[in-house]
Amino acid sequence: MHRSKVRIVEDALDANNTIARANRDDFDRAGVSVVNLMSAPGAGKTALLERALTGLAEDGVRVGVLEGDVAGSFDADRMADLHVPVTQLNTEKGFGGECHLDANMVRTALGALPLAELDLLIIENVGNLVCPAEFHVGADARIMVCSVTEGEDKPLKYPLMFRACELVIVNKIDLLPHLEYDIDRLEDNIAKANPDATTMRVSARTGEGIDTFRRWLIEVPTRTKAMA
Amino acid sequence: MHRSKVRIVEDALDANNTIARANRDDFDRAGVSVVNLMSAPGAGKTALLERALTGLAEDGVRVGVLEGDVAGSFDADRMADLHVPVTQLNTEKGFGGECHLDANMVRTALGALPLAELDLLIIENVGNLVCPAEFHVGADARIMVCSVTEGEDKPLKYPLMFRACELVIVNKIDLLPHLEYDIDRLEDNIAKANPDATTMRVSARTGEGIDTFRRWLIEVPTRTKAMA
């Protein structure tokens, strides 16, 4: 039973990769760079975007958001307040309550995305440190957000997620004075899991470090075109 | 493609329930009550157990822990320091990096558990707010830990997890003075998702509320026998 179970998972990942490539081709044709944003529940992905996306159009980057959630549209409603195009994708309805976005779910949403009007699409994945890292959706870059309230051991306990991302954002640093938390140990552990990852310390609440993150986001389309 | 995907998930859940019942029968025969402890990554399950389990044997409850993690034995090592029997179950090796424990994984670990020496077994699940709620493992009670750093909207975004648990522990309340967080709104949202859930406010760091949680744990075997 175990052997057949693993086979199903591998077949599913192969099928997913095929659809992810089709998504990528469609994004490329539309000239849209795509970022897959992942984290544990409550690490602050939405608050980070609220801080970073405001006024991005003035910097010459037209940004849209695809919100993935099991249920509800709480994050999409928050994003819509920023006057950026937002599309909600719920994994509960029709997808069986999935704990991640896969390429097919994103493909289902393509028609609802105003790709012609965008330079950068941010896909906010379901809050989960395991499966979202296993499913490509067709993105150019992958970012994870890791909060300082979550413990320094997370890169060792969830290594695939940390390995899968080019950028690791360490959020909620405004809480450091109130925690027994060794942020250097966290960054050592990130480097053990993924020596190539860029890390940034930010606070979505106070705005500290957000400028650095915004510059990184602004450069995604440039980097993508340089690689193409 | 979508239709066949859902069917596979349903078959898998049926097969899981059959094995969960076999686990439950084995636990019952051994006179062991079992708790399935779930949360998002970093909500503080292990710290909570470190606080609550110390000296439980003096209260007449012999407790053991089954630690579920994708990789590593960091939590098991912490538990072993408390001198309670600990068994580590990794979902990475042989299970393909699963984001949850299922009944078959727990069954695989049964032989390594000293059931004859236990009154209460706590299964610490993989940190994830979605899939662990879908997979029964044969437990008598389900607990979730929800940290006040995670946002008040979690019961609405991950309703199945909150619905699946008899007890919701709201952890890290020592951080409330440093957060813009409305704990009453969280508890209203928990009640919306699951009106029957018991909630407890605790701090694994300061020990506040831990006595109440320990009493709840001590009473699990009594409650289980009364229901049997």
Side-chain angles (χ1 to χ4, degrees):
Chain A
M1 182 192 166
H2 166 55
R3 189 170 291 268
S4 78
K5 185 173 170 195
V6 170
R7 192 174 52 74
I8 290 171
V9 170
E10 284 173 358
D11 287 353
L13 287 179
D14 278 350
N16 183 73
N17 285 341
T18 304
I19 303 172
R21 277 190 294 270
N23 290 348
R24 181 70 166 269
D25 289 345
D26 285 351
F27 293 136
D28 285 350
R29 261 192 295 274
V32 180
S33 301
V34 180
V35 166
N36 184 359
L37 182 65
M38 302 178 280
S39 81
K45 290 187 297 302
T46 310
L48 189 75
L49 291 181
E50 284 177 325
R51 272 281 184 182
L53 300 193
T54 316
L56 214 60
E58 290 153 31
D59 292 306
V61 177
R62 299 168 302 165
V63 65
V65 178
L66 178 62
E67 283 290 347
D69 281 300
V70 179
S73 63
F74 306 98
D75 295 343
D77 296 341
R78 285 167 67 182
M79 282 298 113
D81 289 341
L82 303 181
H83 306 291
V84 299
V86 182
T87 304
Q88 176 74 48
L89 186 53
N90 278 357
T91 70
E92 192 177 41
K93 295 166 190 147
F95 294 108
E98 294 285 347
C99 61
H100 59 274
L101 295 181
D102 66 22
N104 190 44
M105 294 180 210
V106 170
R107 190 136 199 92
T108 309
L110 283 192
L113 292 167
L115 292 182
E117 297 156 32
L118 299 180
D119 302 303
L120 177 64
L121 174 68
I122 297 178
I123 301 178
E124 187 177 338
N125 217 309
V126 179
N128 181 349
L129 285 188
V130 188
C131 302
E134 296 175 33
F135 287 84
H136 289 282
V137 295
D140 300 288
R142 297 197 276 181
I143 304 176
M144 77 161 290
V145 185
C146 165
S147 138
V148 296
T149 59
E150 288 169 39
E152 303 95 338
D153 56 358
K154 288 296 161 293
L156 308 177
K157 290 171 75 175
Y158 302 89
L160 180 62
M161 175 59 79
F162 285 81
R163 249 181 262 141
C165 292
E166 289 86 53
L167 174 63
V168 179
I169 293 177
V170 183
N171 191 22
K172 306 195 190 179
I173 58 168
D174 57 289
L175 291 176
L176 283 174
H178 313 297
L179 301 170
E180 291 145 41
Y181 189 84
D182 185 345
I183 193 167
D184 295 325
R185 190 150 75 84
L186 172 77
E187 289 175 346
D188 284 350
N189 286 339
I190 294 172
K192 275 181 206 160
N194 182 357
D196 299 324
T198 301
T199 61
M200 287 179 193
R201 300 181 182 188
V202 314
S203 165
R205 188 195 197 182
T206 67
E208 192 178 343
I210 295 294
D211 277 347
T212 314
F213 176 48
R214 292 179 89 240
R215 275 198 299 278
W216 197 95
L217 280 181
I218 289 167
E219 287 164 7
V220 170
T222 318
R223 274 199 306 273
T224 311
K225 277 163 201 154
M227 290 189 313
Chain B
M1 183 191 165
H2 166 56
R3 191 170 289 270
S4 79
K5 187 175 171 196
V6 171
R7 192 174 52 74
I8 289 171
V9 170
E10 284 173 359
D11 287 354
L13 287 178
D14 278 350
N16 184 74
N17 285 341
T18 303
I19 303 172
R21 277 190 294 271
N23 290 348
R24 180 70 166 268
D25 289 345
D26 285 352
F27 293 136
D28 285 350
R29 261 192 296 274
V32 180
S33 301
V34 179
V35 166
N36 184 0
L37 181 66
M38 301 178 280
S39 81
K45 292 187 296 300
T46 310
L48 189 76
L49 292 181
E50 284 177 325
R51 273 280 183 181
L53 300 193
T54 316
L56 214 59
E58 289 153 31
D59 292 305
V61 177
R62 300 166 302 166
V63 64
V65 178
L66 178 61
E67 284 288 347
D69 281 300
V70 178
S73 63
F74 306 98
D75 295 343
D77 296 343
R78 286 167 67 183
M79 283 297 113
D81 289 343
L82 304 181
H83 306 292
V84 300
V86 181
T87 304
Q88 177 74 47
L89 185 54
N90 279 358
T91 70
E92 191 176 41
K93 295 165 192 149
F95 293 108
E98 294 284 349
C99 61
H100 59 274
L101 295 180
D102 67 21
N104 190 45
M105 295 179 209
V106 170
R107 190 136 199 93
T108 310
L110 283 192
L113 292 167
L115 292 182
E117 296 157 29
L118 299 180
D119 301 302
L120 177 65
L121 174 69
I122 297 178
I123 301 178
E124 188 178 337
N125 217 310
V126 179
N128 180 349
L129 286 188
V130 187
C131 302
E134 297 175 32
F135 287 83
H136 289 281
V137 295
D140 300 288
R142 297 197 276 181
I143 304 176
M144 76 160 292
V145 185
C146 167
S147 138
V148 296
T149 60
E150 288 169 39
E152 303 95 338
D153 56 359
K154 288 296 162 292
L156 308 178
K157 290 172 75 175
Y158 302 89
L160 180 62
M161 176 58 79
F162 284 82
R163 249 181 262 142
C165 292
E166 288 86 53
L167 174 63
V168 179
I169 293 177
V170 183
N171 191 23
K172 306 194 189 179
I173 58 168
D174 57 290
L175 291 176
L176 283 174
H178 313 297
L179 302 170
E180 291 144 42
Y181 189 83
D182 185 345
I183 193 168
D184 294 324
R185 189 150 76 85
L186 172 77
E187 289 176 347
D188 284 350
N189 287 339
I190 295 172
K192 274 180 205 161
N194 183 356
D196 298 325
T198 302
T199 62
M200 287 178 193
R201 300 180 181 189
V202 315
S203 166
R205 188 193 196 183
T206 67
E208 192 178 343
I210 295 292
D211 277 346
T212 314
F213 176 49
R214 291 179 90 240
R215 274 197 301 276
W216 196 94
L217 281 180
I218 289 167
E219 286 165 7
V220 170
T222 318
R223 274 201 306 274
T224 313
K225 276 163 201 154
M227 290 189 313

